[in-house]
Amino acid sequence: EGEGREGTGRGLTEEEIQEILDRPAGMNAPHFVLHRMRAKMNALQIPANKRLLMEYNITRLVDDLGACENIFATPIPLGYTKHTTRFLFLWLL
């Protein structure tokens, strides 16, 4: 399935996927991927203005990822849970 994908810009190679799976303990996959994107960007020979724009975009991705993690970690109030449960129960009858 992964044959012929290298260098085509169509996805990750098997080695890159394995690198993500073997990431350091305690580092979640999205943060590791953004860390690797930043490292690959720094290795490119591109003008400073394009590098700054890419760095800005990666920083925004990190910020947005943090916002999503905050939303995910926010507990749902018990009243909302009970109301939703009752509504679904009545709707399924």
Coordinates of all heavy atoms in Angstrom, one line a residue:
E1 N 0.8 -1.2 0.0 CA 0.0 0.0 0.0 C 0.9 1.3 0.0 O 0.5 2.2 -0.7 CB -0.9 0.0 1.2 CG -2.3 -0.1 0.9 CD -3.2 0.0 2.2 OE1 -3.1 1.1 2.8 OE2 -3.8 -1.0 2.5
G2 N 2.0 1.3 0.8 CA 2.8 2.5 0.9 C 3.8 2.6 -0.2 O 4.6 3.5 -0.2
E3 N 3.8 1.7 -1.2 CA 4.8 1.8 -2.3 C 4.5 3.0 -3.2 O 3.4 3.3 -3.5 CB 4.7 0.5 -3.1 CG 5.2 -0.7 -2.3 CD 5.0 -2.0 -3.1 OE1 4.9 -1.9 -4.3 OE2 5.1 -3.1 -2.5
G4 N 5.6 3.6 -3.6 CA 5.5 4.7 -4.6 C 5.1 6.0 -4.0 O 4.9 6.9 -4.7
R5 N 5.1 6.1 -2.7 CA 4.6 7.3 -2.0 C 5.8 8.2 -1.7 O 5.5 9.4 -1.5 CB 3.8 7.0 -0.8 CG 2.5 6.4 -1.1 CD 1.8 5.9 0.1 NE 2.1 6.7 1.4 CZ 1.6 6.3 2.5 NH1 0.8 5.3 2.6 NH2 1.9 7.0 3.6
E6 N 7.0 7.7 -1.6 CA 8.1 8.6 -1.2 C 8.4 9.6 -2.2 O 8.5 9.4 -3.4 CB 9.3 7.7 -1.0 CG 9.1 6.7 0.1 CD 10.3 5.8 0.2 OE1 10.9 5.4 -0.8 OE2 10.6 5.4 1.4
G7 N 8.5 10.9 -1.7 CA 8.8 12.0 -2.6 C 7.7 12.5 -3.4 O 7.9 13.4 -4.2
T8 N 6.5 12.0 -3.3 CA 5.4 12.5 -4.1 C 4.5 13.5 -3.4 O 3.6 14.1 -4.0 CB 4.5 11.3 -4.5 OG1 3.9 10.7 -3.3 CG2 5.2 10.3 -5.3
G9 N 4.8 13.7 -2.1 CA 4.0 14.6 -1.3 C 2.6 14.1 -1.0 O 1.7 14.9 -0.7
R10 N 2.4 12.8 -1.1 CA 1.1 12.3 -0.9 C 0.9 11.7 0.5 O -0.2 11.1 0.8 CB 0.8 11.2 -1.9 CG 0.7 11.8 -3.3 CD 0.6 10.8 -4.4 NE -0.6 10.0 -4.1 CZ -0.8 8.9 -4.7 NH1 0.0 8.5 -5.7 NH2 -1.9 8.1 -4.4
G11 N 1.8 11.7 1.4 CA 1.7 11.1 2.7 C 3.0 10.8 3.3 O 4.1 11.2 2.8
L12 N 2.9 10.1 4.4 CA 4.1 9.8 5.2 C 4.7 8.4 4.7 O 4.0 7.6 4.2 CB 3.8 9.6 6.7 CG 3.3 10.9 7.4 CD1 2.8 10.5 8.8 CD2 4.3 12.0 7.4
T13 N 6.0 8.3 4.8 CA 6.7 7.1 4.4 C 6.5 6.1 5.6 O 6.1 6.5 6.7 CB 8.2 7.3 4.1 OG1 8.8 7.8 5.3 CG2 8.4 8.3 3.0
E14 N 6.8 4.9 5.4 CA 6.7 3.9 6.5 C 7.7 4.2 7.6 O 7.4 4.1 8.8 CB 7.0 2.5 5.9 CG 6.0 2.0 4.9 CD 4.6 1.9 5.5 OE1 4.4 1.5 6.7 OE2 3.6 2.2 4.7
E15 N 8.9 4.8 7.2 CA 9.8 5.1 8.3 C 9.3 6.3 9.1 O 9.5 6.3 10.3 CB 11.2 5.5 7.6 CG 11.9 4.4 6.9 CD 11.4 4.2 5.5 OE1 10.7 5.0 4.9 OE2 11.6 3.0 5.0
E16 N 8.7 7.3 8.5 CA 8.1 8.4 9.3 C 7.0 7.9 10.2 O 6.9 8.4 11.3 CB 7.6 9.5 8.3 CG 8.8 10.2 7.6 CD 8.3 11.1 6.5 OE1 7.3 10.8 5.8 OE2 9.0 12.1 6.2
I17 N 6.2 7.0 9.7 CA 5.1 6.5 10.5 C 5.7 5.8 11.7 O 5.2 5.9 12.9 CB 4.2 5.6 9.7 CG1 3.4 6.4 8.7 CG2 3.2 4.8 10.6 CD1 2.6 5.6 7.7
Q18 N 6.7 5.0 11.5 CA 7.4 4.2 12.6 C 8.0 5.2 13.6 O 8.0 5.0 14.8 CB 8.4 3.2 12.0 CG 8.8 2.2 13.0 CD 7.7 1.4 13.6 OE1 6.8 0.9 12.9 NE2 7.7 1.2 14.9
E19 N 8.6 6.3 13.1 CA 9.2 7.3 13.9 C 8.2 7.9 14.9 O 8.4 8.1 16.0 CB 9.9 8.4 13.1 CG 10.6 9.4 13.9 CD 11.2 10.5 13.0 OE1 11.1 10.4 11.8 OE2 11.8 11.4 13.6
I20 N 7.0 8.2 14.4 CA 5.9 8.7 15.2 C 5.5 7.7 16.2 O 5.2 8.0 17.4 CB 4.7 9.2 14.3 CG1 5.1 10.3 13.4 CG2 3.5 9.5 15.2 CD1 4.1 10.7 12.3
L21 N 5.3 6.4 15.8 CA 4.9 5.4 16.7 C 6.0 5.1 17.8 O 5.6 4.8 19.0 CB 4.6 4.1 16.0 CG 3.4 4.1 15.0 CD1 3.3 2.8 14.3 CD2 2.2 4.4 15.8
D22 N 7.2 5.4 17.5 CA 8.4 5.1 18.5 C 8.8 6.4 19.1 O 9.9 6.5 19.6 CB 9.6 4.5 17.7 CG 9.3 3.2 17.2 OD1 8.3 2.5 17.7 OD2 10.0 2.7 16.2
R23 N 7.9 7.4 19.2 CA 8.2 8.7 19.8 C 8.6 8.6 21.2 O 8.3 7.5 21.9 CB 7.1 9.7 19.6 CG 5.9 9.3 20.4 CD 4.6 10.2 20.1 NE 3.5 9.7 20.8 CZ 2.7 8.7 20.4 NH1 2.9 8.1 19.3 NH2 1.6 8.4 21.2
P24 N 9.3 9.6 21.8 CA 9.7 9.5 23.2 C 8.4 9.3 24.1 O 7.4 9.8 23.9 CB 10.4 10.8 23.5 CG 10.8 11.3 22.2 CD 9.8 10.8 21.2
A25 N 8.6 8.6 25.2 CA 7.5 8.3 26.2 C 7.1 9.7 26.8 O 7.9 10.5 27.1 CB 8.0 7.4 27.3
G26 N 5.8 9.8 26.9 CA 5.3 11.1 27.5 C 5.0 12.2 26.5 O 4.4 13.2 26.8
M27 N 5.4 12.0 25.2 CA 5.1 13.0 24.2 C 4.0 12.5 23.3 O 4.1 11.4 22.7 CB 6.4 13.2 23.4 CG 6.2 14.4 22.4 SD 7.8 14.7 21.6 CE 7.9 16.4 21.7
N28 N 2.9 13.3 23.2 CA 1.8 12.8 22.4 C 2.1 13.0 20.9 O 2.9 13.8 20.6 CB 0.4 13.4 22.9 CG 0.4 14.9 22.6 OD1 1.2 15.5 22.0 ND2 -0.7 15.5 23.1
A29 N 1.4 12.2 20.1 CA 1.7 12.2 18.7 C 1.5 13.6 18.0 O 2.4 13.9 17.2 CB 0.8 11.2 18.0
P30 N 0.5 14.3 18.2 CA 0.4 15.6 17.5 C 1.5 16.6 17.8 O 2.1 17.2 17.0 CB -1.0 16.2 18.0 CG -1.8 15.0 18.4 CD -0.8 14.0 18.9
H31 N 1.9 16.6 19.1 CA 3.1 17.5 19.5 C 4.4 17.0 18.8 O 5.2 17.8 18.4 CB 3.2 17.6 21.0 CG 2.2 18.5 21.6 ND1 2.4 19.8 21.7 CD2 1.0 18.2 22.2 CE1 1.4 20.4 22.3 NE2 0.5 19.4 22.6
F32 N 4.5 15.7 18.8 CA 5.7 15.1 18.2 C 5.8 15.4 16.7 O 6.8 15.8 16.2 CB 5.8 13.6 18.4 CG 7.0 13.0 17.8 CD1 8.2 13.2 18.5 CD2 7.0 12.3 16.7 CE1 9.4 12.6 17.9 CE2 8.1 11.7 16.1 CZ 9.3 11.9 16.8
V33 N 4.6 15.3 16.0 CA 4.6 15.6 14.6 C 4.9 17.1 14.3 O 5.7 17.4 13.4 CB 3.2 15.3 14.0 CG1 3.0 15.8 12.6 CG2 3.0 13.7 14.0
L34 N 4.4 18.0 15.2 CA 4.7 19.4 15.0 C 6.2 19.7 15.3 O 6.8 20.5 14.6 CB 3.8 20.3 15.9 CG 2.3 20.3 15.4 CD1 1.5 21.0 16.5 CD2 2.2 21.0 14.1
H35 N 6.7 19.0 16.3 CA 8.2 19.1 16.6 C 9.0 18.7 15.3 O 10.0 19.4 15.0 CB 8.5 18.3 17.8 CG 10.0 18.2 18.1 ND1 10.7 19.2 18.6 CD2 10.8 17.1 17.9 CE1 11.9 18.8 18.7 NE2 12.0 17.6 18.3
R36 N 8.6 17.6 14.7 CA 9.4 17.1 13.6 C 9.2 18.0 12.4 O 10.1 18.2 11.6 CB 8.9 15.7 13.2 CG 9.3 14.6 14.2 CD 10.8 14.4 14.4 NE 11.3 14.0 13.1 CZ 12.5 14.5 12.7 NH1 13.2 15.3 13.3 NH2 13.0 14.1 11.5
M37 N 8.0 18.6 12.2 CA 7.7 19.6 11.1 C 8.7 20.8 11.3 O 9.3 21.2 10.3 CB 6.3 20.0 11.1 CG 5.3 19.1 10.5 SD 3.6 19.6 10.7 CE 3.6 21.1 9.7
R38 N 8.8 21.2 12.5 CA 9.7 22.4 12.8 C 11.1 22.0 12.5 O 11.9 22.8 11.9 CB 9.5 22.8 14.2 CG 10.3 24.1 14.5 CD 9.9 24.6 15.9 NE 8.7 25.5 15.7 CZ 7.7 25.5 16.6 NH1 7.7 24.8 17.7 NH2 6.6 26.3 16.3
A39 N 11.5 20.8 12.9 CA 12.9 20.4 12.6 C 13.2 20.3 11.1 O 14.2 20.7 10.6 CB 13.2 19.0 13.3
K40 N 12.2 19.7 10.4 CA 12.4 19.6 8.9 C 12.4 21.0 8.2 O 13.2 21.2 7.3 CB 11.3 18.7 8.3 CG 11.5 17.2 8.6 CD 10.5 16.4 7.9 CE 10.7 15.0 8.1 NZ 11.5 14.3 7.1
M41 N 11.6 21.9 8.7 CA 11.5 23.2 8.2 C 12.9 23.9 8.4 O 13.4 24.6 7.5 CB 10.4 24.0 8.8 CG 10.3 25.4 8.3 SD 9.6 26.6 9.4 CE 10.7 26.5 10.8
N42 N 13.5 23.7 9.6 CA 14.8 24.4 9.9 C 15.9 23.8 9.0 O 16.9 24.5 8.8 CB 15.1 24.2 11.3 CG 14.3 25.1 12.2 OD1 13.8 26.2 11.7 ND2 14.0 24.7 13.4
A43 N 15.7 22.6 8.5 CA 16.8 21.9 7.7 C 16.7 22.4 6.2 O 17.6 22.2 5.5 CB 16.6 20.4 7.8
L44 N 15.6 23.0 5.8 CA 15.4 23.5 4.5 C 16.2 24.7 4.2 O 16.5 25.6 5.1 CB 13.9 23.8 4.2 CG 12.9 22.7 4.3 CD1 11.5 23.2 4.1 CD2 13.2 21.6 3.2
Q45 N 16.7 24.8 3.0 CA 17.4 26.0 2.5 C 16.5 27.0 1.9 O 16.3 27.0 0.6 CB 18.6 25.6 1.6 CG 19.5 24.6 2.1 CD 20.3 25.2 3.3 OE1 20.6 26.4 3.3 NE2 20.6 24.4 4.3
I46 N 15.7 27.7 2.7 CA 14.7 28.7 2.1 C 15.0 30.1 2.7 O 15.7 30.2 3.7 CB 13.3 28.2 2.5 CG1 13.1 28.1 4.0 CG2 12.9 26.9 1.8 CD1 11.7 27.8 4.5
P47 N 14.5 31.1 2.0 CA 14.7 32.4 2.5 C 14.1 32.7 3.8 O 13.1 32.0 4.2 CB 14.0 33.3 1.4 CG 13.8 32.4 0.2 CD 13.8 31.0 0.7
A48 N 14.6 33.7 4.5 CA 14.2 33.9 5.9 C 12.7 34.3 6.0 O 12.0 33.9 6.9 CB 15.1 35.0 6.5
N49 N 12.2 35.1 5.0 CA 10.8 35.5 5.1 C 9.9 34.3 4.9 O 8.9 34.2 5.6 CB 10.5 36.6 4.0 CG 10.8 36.1 2.6 OD1 11.5 35.1 2.4 ND2 10.2 36.8 1.7
K50 N 10.2 33.3 4.1 CA 9.4 32.1 4.0 C 9.5 31.3 5.2 O 8.5 30.7 5.7 CB 9.8 31.3 2.8 CG 9.3 32.0 1.5 CD 9.6 31.1 0.3 CE 9.2 31.8 -1.0 NZ 9.4 31.0 -2.2
R51 N 10.7 31.2 5.8 CA 10.9 30.4 7.0 C 10.1 31.0 8.2 O 9.5 30.3 8.9 CB 12.4 30.4 7.4 CG 12.7 29.5 8.6 CD 14.1 29.6 8.9 NE 15.0 29.3 7.8 CZ 15.6 28.2 7.6 NH1 15.5 27.2 8.4 NH2 16.3 28.0 6.5
L52 N 10.0 32.4 8.3 CA 9.3 33.0 9.3 C 7.8 32.8 9.1 O 7.0 32.5 10.1 CB 9.5 34.5 9.3 CG 10.9 35.0 9.9 CD1 11.1 36.5 9.7 CD2 10.9 34.6 11.4
L53 N 7.3 32.8 7.9 CA 5.9 32.5 7.6 C 5.6 31.0 8.0 O 4.5 30.8 8.7 CB 5.6 32.7 6.2 CG 4.1 32.5 5.8 CD1 3.2 33.5 6.5 CD2 4.0 32.7 4.3
M54 N 6.4 30.1 7.7 CA 6.2 28.7 8.1 C 6.3 28.5 9.6 O 5.4 27.8 10.1 CB 7.3 27.8 7.4 CG 7.1 27.7 5.9 SD 8.4 26.8 5.1 CE 8.1 25.2 5.6
E55 N 7.2 29.2 10.2 CA 7.3 29.1 11.7 C 6.0 29.7 12.3 O 5.5 29.1 13.3 CB 8.5 29.9 12.2 CG 8.7 29.9 13.7 CD 9.0 28.6 14.2 OE1 9.7 27.8 13.5 OE2 8.6 28.3 15.3
Y56 N 5.5 30.8 11.8 CA 4.3 31.4 12.3 C 3.1 30.4 12.2 O 2.3 30.2 13.1 CB 3.9 32.6 11.5 CG 2.6 33.2 11.9 CD1 2.3 33.9 13.1 CD2 1.5 33.1 11.0 CE1 1.1 34.4 13.4 CE2 0.3 33.6 11.3 CZ 0.1 34.3 12.5 OH -1.2 34.8 12.8
N57 N 3.0 29.7 11.0 CA 1.9 28.7 10.8 C 2.1 27.5 11.8 O 1.0 27.0 12.3 CB 1.9 28.2 9.4 CG 1.4 29.3 8.4 OD1 0.6 30.1 8.8 ND2 1.9 29.3 7.2
I58 N 3.3 27.1 12.0 CA 3.5 25.9 12.9 C 3.1 26.4 14.4 O 2.5 25.6 15.1 CB 4.9 25.4 12.9 CG1 5.1 24.7 11.5 CG2 5.2 24.4 14.0 CD1 6.5 24.2 11.3
T59 N 3.5 27.6 14.7 CA 3.1 28.1 16.0 C 1.6 28.2 16.2 O 1.1 27.9 17.3 CB 3.8 29.5 16.3 OG1 5.2 29.4 16.1 CG2 3.5 30.1 17.6
R60 N 0.9 28.6 15.2 CA -0.5 28.7 15.2 C -1.1 27.3 15.4 O -2.1 27.1 16.1 CB -1.1 29.3 14.0 CG -1.0 30.8 14.0 CD -1.8 31.5 12.9 NE -3.2 31.1 13.0 CZ -4.1 31.2 12.0 NH1 -3.7 31.7 10.9 NH2 -5.3 30.9 12.2
L61 N -0.6 26.3 14.7 CA -1.0 24.9 14.9 C -0.8 24.5 16.3 O -1.7 23.8 16.9 CB -0.3 24.0 13.9 CG -0.8 23.9 12.5 CD1 0.2 23.1 11.6 CD2 -2.1 23.3 12.4
V62 N 0.3 24.8 16.9 CA 0.5 24.4 18.3 C -0.5 25.1 19.2 O -1.0 24.4 20.1 CB 2.0 24.8 18.7 CG1 2.2 24.6 20.2 CG2 3.0 23.9 18.0
D63 N -0.7 26.4 19.0 CA -1.7 27.1 19.8 C -3.1 26.5 19.6 O -3.9 26.3 20.6 CB -1.7 28.6 19.4 CG -0.5 29.3 19.8 OD1 0.3 28.7 20.6 OD2 -0.2 30.4 19.3
D64 N -3.5 26.2 18.4 CA -4.8 25.6 18.2 C -4.9 24.2 18.8 O -6.0 23.8 19.3 CB -5.1 25.6 16.7 CG -5.3 26.9 16.1 OD1 -5.5 27.9 16.8 OD2 -5.2 27.1 14.8
L65 N -3.9 23.4 18.7 CA -3.9 22.1 19.3 C -4.1 22.3 20.8 O -4.8 21.5 21.5 CB -2.5 21.4 19.0 CG -2.4 20.0 19.7 CD1 -3.4 19.1 19.1 CD2 -1.0 19.5 19.4
G66 N -3.4 23.2 21.5 CA -3.6 23.5 22.9 C -5.0 23.8 23.2 O -5.6 23.4 24.2
A67 N -5.6 24.7 22.4 CA -7.0 25.0 22.6 C -7.9 23.8 22.5 O -8.9 23.7 23.3 CB -7.5 26.1 21.6
C68 N -7.7 22.9 21.5 CA -8.5 21.7 21.4 C -8.3 20.8 22.6 O -9.3 20.2 23.1 CB -8.1 21.0 20.1 SG -8.6 21.8 18.6
E69 N -7.1 20.7 23.1 CA -6.8 19.9 24.3 C -7.6 20.5 25.5 O -8.1 19.7 26.4 CB -5.3 19.8 24.6 CG -4.6 18.9 23.6 CD -3.1 18.9 23.8 OE1 -2.6 19.8 24.5 OE2 -2.5 18.0 23.1
N70 N -7.6 21.8 25.6 CA -8.4 22.4 26.7 C -9.9 22.1 26.6 O -10.5 21.8 27.7 CB -8.2 23.9 26.8 CG -6.8 24.3 27.3 OD1 -6.2 23.5 28.0 ND2 -6.4 25.5 27.0
I71 N -10.4 22.2 25.4 CA -11.8 21.9 25.3 C -12.1 20.4 25.6 O -13.1 20.1 26.3 CB -12.3 22.2 23.8 CG1 -12.3 23.7 23.6 CG2 -13.7 21.6 23.5 CD1 -12.5 24.1 22.1
F72 N -11.2 19.5 25.2 CA -11.4 18.1 25.4 C -11.3 17.8 26.9 O -12.0 16.9 27.4 CB -10.3 17.3 24.7 CG -10.4 15.8 24.8 CD1 -11.5 15.1 24.3 CD2 -9.5 15.1 25.6 CE1 -11.6 13.8 24.4 CE2 -9.6 13.8 25.8 CZ -10.6 13.1 25.2
A73 N -10.5 18.5 27.7 CA -10.3 18.3 29.1 C -11.3 18.9 30.0 O -11.4 18.6 31.2 CB -8.9 18.8 29.5
T74 N -12.2 19.8 29.4 CA -13.2 20.5 30.2 C -14.3 19.5 30.5 O -14.9 18.9 29.6 CB -13.8 21.7 29.4 OG1 -12.7 22.5 29.1 CG2 -14.8 22.4 30.2
P75 N -14.6 19.3 31.8 CA -15.7 18.4 32.2 C -17.0 18.9 31.8 O -17.3 20.1 31.8 CB -15.5 18.2 33.7 CG -14.8 19.5 34.1 CD -14.0 19.9 33.0
I76 N -17.9 18.0 31.4 CA -19.3 18.4 31.1 C -20.1 18.4 32.4 O -20.1 17.4 33.1 CB -19.9 17.4 30.1 CG1 -19.1 17.3 28.8 CG2 -21.4 17.7 29.8 CD1 -19.5 16.3 27.8
P77 N -20.8 19.5 32.6 CA -21.6 19.6 33.9 C -22.6 18.4 34.0 O -23.2 18.0 33.0 CB -22.3 20.9 33.8 CG -21.5 21.7 32.8 CD -20.9 20.7 31.9
L78 N -22.9 18.0 35.2 CA -23.8 16.9 35.5 C -25.2 17.1 35.0 O -25.8 16.2 34.4 CB -23.8 16.5 37.0 CG -24.6 15.3 37.4 CD1 -24.0 14.1 36.7 CD2 -24.5 15.2 38.9
G79 N -25.6 18.4 35.1 CA -27.0 18.7 34.6 C -27.1 18.5 33.1 O -28.2 18.0 32.7
Y80 N -26.1 18.9 32.4 CA -26.2 18.7 30.9 C -26.2 17.2 30.6 O -26.9 16.7 29.7 CB -24.9 19.3 30.2 CG -24.9 20.8 30.3 CD1 -23.8 21.4 29.7 CD2 -25.9 21.6 30.8 CE1 -23.7 22.8 29.7 CE2 -25.8 23.0 30.8 CZ -24.7 23.6 30.3 OH -24.7 24.9 30.3
T81 N -25.4 16.4 31.3 CA -25.4 15.0 31.1 C -26.7 14.3 31.3 O -27.2 13.5 30.5 CB -24.3 14.3 31.9 OG1 -23.1 15.0 31.7 CG2 -24.1 12.8 31.6
K82 N -27.3 14.7 32.5 CA -28.7 14.1 32.8 C -29.7 14.5 31.8 O -30.5 13.7 31.4 CB -29.1 14.6 34.2 CG -28.3 13.9 35.3 CD -28.8 14.3 36.7 CE -28.1 13.6 37.8 NZ -28.5 14.0 39.1
H83 N -29.7 15.8 31.4 CA -30.7 16.3 30.4 C -30.5 15.5 29.1 O -31.5 15.1 28.5 CB -30.5 17.8 30.2 CG -31.4 18.4 29.2 ND1 -32.8 18.5 29.5 CD2 -31.2 18.8 28.0 CE1 -33.4 19.0 28.4 NE2 -32.4 19.2 27.5
T84 N -29.3 15.4 28.7 CA -29.1 14.7 27.4 C -29.5 13.2 27.5 O -30.1 12.7 26.5 CB -27.6 14.8 27.0 OG1 -27.2 16.1 27.0 CG2 -27.3 14.1 25.7
T85 N -29.2 12.6 28.6 CA -29.6 11.2 28.8 C -31.2 11.1 28.7 O -31.7 10.2 28.1 CB -29.1 10.7 30.1 OG1 -27.7 10.8 30.1 CG2 -29.4 9.2 30.3
R86 N -31.9 11.9 29.4 CA -33.3 11.9 29.4 C -33.9 12.1 28.1 O -34.8 11.5 27.6 CB -33.9 12.9 30.4 CG -33.6 12.5 31.9 CD -34.2 13.5 32.8 NE -33.8 13.2 34.2 CZ -33.5 14.1 35.1 NH1 -33.6 15.3 34.9 NH2 -33.2 13.7 36.3
F87 N -33.4 13.1 27.4 CA -33.8 13.4 26.0 C -33.6 12.2 25.1 O -34.5 11.9 24.3 CB -33.1 14.7 25.5 CG -33.4 14.9 24.0 CD1 -34.6 15.5 23.6 CD2 -32.5 14.6 23.1 CE1 -34.8 15.7 22.3 CE2 -32.7 14.8 21.7 CZ -33.9 15.4 21.3
L88 N -32.5 11.6 25.1 CA -32.2 10.5 24.2 C -33.1 9.3 24.6 O -33.6 8.6 23.7 CB -30.7 10.1 24.3 CG -29.8 11.0 23.6 CD1 -28.3 10.6 23.9 CD2 -30.0 11.1 22.1
F89 N -33.3 9.1 25.9 CA -34.2 8.0 26.3 C -35.6 8.2 25.7 O -36.2 7.3 25.2 CB -34.2 7.9 27.8 CG -35.1 6.8 28.3 CD1 -34.8 5.5 28.2 CD2 -36.4 7.2 28.9 CE1 -35.6 4.5 28.7 CE2 -37.2 6.2 29.4 CZ -36.8 4.8 29.3
L90 N -36.2 9.4 25.9 CA -37.5 9.7 25.4 C -37.6 9.6 23.9 O -38.5 9.2 23.3 CB -38.0 11.1 25.9 CG -38.3 11.1 27.4 CD1 -38.6 12.6 27.8 CD2 -39.4 10.2 27.7
W91 N -36.5 10.1 23.2 CA -36.5 10.1 21.7 C -36.4 8.7 21.2 O -37.0 8.4 20.2 CB -35.3 10.9 21.3 CG -35.2 11.0 19.8 CD1 -36.0 11.7 19.0 CD2 -34.2 10.5 19.0 NE1 -35.6 11.6 17.7 CE2 -34.5 10.9 17.6 CE3 -33.0 9.7 19.2 CZ2 -33.7 10.5 16.6 CZ3 -32.3 9.4 18.1 CH2 -32.6 9.8 16.8
L92 N -35.7 7.8 21.9 CA -35.6 6.4 21.4 C -36.9 5.6 21.7 O -37.0 4.5 21.1 CB -34.4 5.7 22.1 CG -33.0 6.3 21.6 CD1 -31.9 5.7 22.5 CD2 -32.8 6.0 20.1
L93 N -37.7 6.1 22.6 CA -39.0 5.3 22.8 C -39.8 5.5 21.6 O -40.5 5.1 20.9 CB -39.7 5.9 24.0 CG -39.1 5.6 25.4 CD1 -39.9 6.2 26.5 CD2 -39.1 4.1 25.6

